[in-house]
Every structure is written in structure tokens, then in C-alpha cells.
Amino acid sequence: MNAIAKVGAFAGAVVALGGLGSAVGASVGPIGEPERPSHQEHGKAGGHGGHAGHGAKKAPAATGLNVSEAGYTLDLVEDRYQRTAEATLRFRILGDDHEPVTRFATAHGKKLHLIVVRRDLATFQHVHPVMAADGTWSVGADLAEAGTYRVFADFQPEAADEGLTLGQDLFVGGTYEPQPLPAPAATSTVSPYQVDLDGHLVAGKTSRLTLTVTKDGEPVTDLEPYLEAYGHLVALRDGDLAYLHVHPEGAPGDGRTEPGPEITFSAEVPSAGTYRLFLDFQHAGEVRTAAFTAVASAHGTAH
């Protein structure tokens, strides 16, 4: 990956760092449907997977809020760092026997997807670690800014029936100046690209979100496949950073999905409130990230 739904937190492509492009913030309301890792597709709030149909339904539970779940634990080898743009993160996924898990299913071309975000949502990275024979994963990350970060591991053990998203905090020393969340807006600029967001999030209901990519004012019609899709969307709920990773409708090479300029998602957030959305897309050989602030309304209220 250059830098992997279900809404555990509204968060199944949220990142620049480690292979992702740089994120630019603006904001808006809609978002794609959550994926919940099922391992045919990894889709769950905090995983990857298929897309649910449209219409009202029970709101999904939050994902990525727990360090341990369903017998698995995210274990960071180190959770305290000095500021550096070239940090190396190391971690393991432990089973209920406290031993490292070494067999994982592949979802969107990777065994595990890692999201690293500062808790004020000012920085975002989507990276793909490499696992050693002993079950220890490692990957480079940019921790040049002080503060508290949340690390999300999105994966599915071969022995599990579905994917999981586990989260743990890490701390970077130094003077921390938390940034305010950008105001909601329907446009995000990642020069020379502009991404426009059309749609609105409604809690507990599948919402349709369309993102349109242009470059220097012209529609981009030759987006490149990135992790088996033309775009990946990650949503994080402001406050507790509940996580949701979603993938767009259709797929490259399916004979019906165009490579831009539009990327459409179906998503479901668990509650009304403010979310930060991160869209990863690839063009001209580089992954870039557009960021938005979106406000989800309560089911049944006017937009």
C-alpha cells in the first residue's frame, strides 16, 4: 500500500506517511458504508468488506476502541517515542494463549492494515507493516509531532470468522499543541488535486457518498488501482476516535466501474456527531489523501 468496514466508529481510505500521500483538511458530511472484515472482503466497522444495501437499519457498534477483543490483543513493543520523522513501530497480535499470531487472511492485498492518527486528528497515516517469522510486525511512521497517537490494526486471523480492528495509544514526547478540528466543508485540496464531497451522513442509516476528483480543474478519469480499489475511505468519530474503514462500490477491471472522476461509497455511522474522513486515492503513481470534517445528523432529522 502506499502508505485497509464497518463502523466501529464511523470510521473499511483514511494518509500519507509510510506510503500514503499527504492529507489535506477540509470537511463535509457524507461517507461510504462501513466494511466489516469478513475475509472475503474485509468489511466491518474497522475492517474491510462488502457493502450493505441502502436503508435504515440498526446502528453498528463502535470499532477500534478496544486493545483486546474476541481473544486477540494488539501489543505495541514500544508505546513511547521521541519526536522523529523516521520512527519504527513494532507490535504483535496476541492470541488468547498470549502467543503471537502468525497466520492472517489477506484483505485488499495485505495481511494487515495499520492506521496511525494523532488524537486531535491533525495527522493521519495508513501504512502496511511487514511481519517477521516470530509474529512481530514492523513499519516506518512519521512521529515528528509531539502528542498522543492512536494506532489501529485492521486484520483477520485465519482462525477467525471475521476481521477485527484493535486500537492502542502511543505517546510522543515534546511540546504538544492540539489543533482545532477543521470546519465542515465540501471540498478538500491536495494540490494540484481537488476532491469534492457530495452526500450527507445520517446516523444508523446507510448513506451514499460520492467523491469527485479533479486536477487543475479537469476531471481525473484515469485513477489507478490502489489496494484493489480506486479509493479507500476511513472515518474517525471526533472524541473517542471510533473507527470505520470503507471501500468504494465496484472494483477495477469489473467491466462497469470507471477509473474516476467519481468514487462512490455506501457507509453507515453509529451515532450523530462529528467525524473526520480521510480518502486515499492514487494517480500518476502517487497515493494522496484528501481529508474532510463531516457532521452526521440523527436519523429522522432534516439535513
Side-chain angles (χ1 to χ4, degrees):
M1 119 173 242
N2 191 312
I4 160 179
K6 154 188 172 178
V7 166
F10 173 65
V14 227
V15 183
L17 304 160
L20 290 174
S22 39
V24 175
S27 315
V28 160
I31 193 168
E33 158 191 10
E35 289 186 70
R36 162 184 196 104
S38 100
H39 262 255
Q40 283 134 311
E41 260 196 28
H42 216 62
K44 103 176 194 176
H48 296 218
H51 304 281
H54 300 295
K57 62 173 78 174
K58 181 179 179 181
T63 293
L65 301 179
N66 300 322
V67 68
S68 295
E69 185 179 336
Y72 296 93
T73 298
L74 171 59
D75 177 37
L76 296 180
V77 173
E78 176 60 61
D79 65 359
R80 285 165 172 75
Y81 290 81
Q82 294 302 311
R83 289 182 296 171
T84 174
E86 299 180 347
T88 298
L89 305 184
R90 295 185 177 87
F91 63 94
R92 302 174 299 170
I93 303 299
L94 305 180
D96 56 12
D97 57 359
H98 303 293
E99 293 296 323
V101 177
T102 59
R103 298 180 65 85
F104 296 84
T106 299
H108 295 280
K110 299 293 181 179
K111 298 286 187 179
L112 186 146
H113 297 253
L114 199 74
I115 301 298
V116 182
V117 59
R118 202 168 72 173
R119 274 198 168 270
D120 62 355
L121 297 175
T123 69
F124 178 94
Q125 302 173 61
H126 180 175
V127 295
H128 297 101
V130 175
M131 188 185 72
D134 67 354
T136 299
W137 296 83
S138 61
V139 68
D142 185 345
L143 300 179
E145 301 293 330
T148 301
Y149 290 72
R150 188 69 172 173
V151 177
F152 297 96
D154 192 345
F155 63 94
Q156 182 174 335
E158 285 189 353
D161 293 330
E162 62 182 13
L164 296 169
T165 299
L166 301 178
Q168 185 176 348
D169 284 354
L170 65 77
F171 310 94
V172 179
T175 302
Y176 172 41
E177 298 182 3
Q179 301 300 306
L181 200 66
T187 297
S188 178
T189 301
V190 190
S191 186
Y193 298 87
Q194 176 175 304
V195 181
D196 295 310
L197 179 59
D198 180 47
H200 186 82
L201 291 174
V202 179
K205 182 178 180 180
T206 300
S207 303
R208 191 174 182 83
L209 168 65
T210 299
L211 295 104
T212 302
V213 183
T214 58
K215 180 180 180 182
D216 297 325
E218 296 297 323
V220 175
T221 58
D222 57 347
L223 290 172
E224 298 163 355
Y226 171 62
L227 297 175
E228 303 176 355
Y230 286 127
H232 294 263
L233 183 68
V234 170
L236 297 170
R237 186 169 58 193
D238 184 37
D240 62 1
L241 303 194
Y243 169 91
L244 173 65
H245 189 158
V246 264
H247 297 277
E249 297 178 357
D254 64 5
R256 58 186 178 79
T257 303
E258 297 295 330
E262 297 182 347
I263 312 171
T264 300
F265 298 82
S266 294
E268 185 177 322
V269 294
S271 67
T274 303
Y275 294 82
R276 189 68 172 159
L277 314 181
F278 298 90
L279 172 72
D280 286 336
F281 65 93
Q282 180 168 308
H283 187 249
E286 182 177 347
V287 176
R288 301 172 186 273
T289 301
F292 301 84
T293 298
V295 177
S297 61
H299 188 150
T301 61
H303 301 164

